[in-house]
Amino acid sequence: MNLQAALPFLLPKAIAWAERESQRIANSGRALTEREQKLAREVGVTRVEQIRIALVDALPLPDDPELRAAALQTGLLGSDTAGLTLGYSIFVCEGYETVRLLTHEFRHVYQYEQAGSIADFLPGYLQQVVEVGYANTTFEKNAQAHERES
Ligand SMILES: [Zn+2]
């Protein structure tokens, strides 16, 4: 798939999917512990009490065939990915709930906060993903730079 060409068409579907998944976890995920709230504040999050974490067997994948194919092609939701942040909602694969992964995902929460919403964050983020690749986006590098070991 030519992701660059497909992005304008996929973007509204990606936003709708992300908002739906985020809402699902807002209702069912767990809140942060005191310790985790402190870590989230330390990497820049303002509204730490809004964050919810859901432990999952596998990250969610869109039902929409094209959106699903694009997510897998970019590596965003591939088998190498253990965490996914959508607004204040964080998906973590079972067995990967480390301080390092959590601080990385908290920094993505901060990035969403800076943008204002999922609908405001995803256009710039996904544009970069298709241009330079998921691992090379400024957002990913910024999250990596804020990972903590403990
Ligand atoms: Zn990341």
Side-chain angles (χ1 to χ4, degrees), residues 44-66:
V45 178
T46 303
R47 299 165 77 177
V48 298
E49 72 287 346
Q50 284 215 35
I51 297 177
R52 291 293 180 274
I53 294 176
L55 285 184
V56 292
D57 292 332
L59 297 181
L61 269 177
D63 289 329
D64 182 277
E66 280 140 329

Side-chain angles (χ1 to χ4, degrees), residues 87-104:
Y88 287 97
S89 298
I90 301 173
F91 293 86
V92 179
C93 290
E94 300 264 11
Y96 291 89
E97 200 185 7
T98 61
V99 166
R100 185 174 186 173
L101 183 82
L102 287 179
T103 48
H104 179 106

Side-chain angles (χ1 to χ4, degrees), residues 76 81 83-85 101 104-105 108 111 125 134 137 139-141 143-144 147:
L76 269 177
T81 319
L84 173 71
T85 295
L101 183 82
H104 179 106
E105 301 304 327
H108 284 311
Q111 293 166 356
Y125 176 69
Y134 154 62
T137 63
F139 301 99
E140 204 50 39
K141 290 181 183 299
Q144 278 165 10
E147 288 173 5

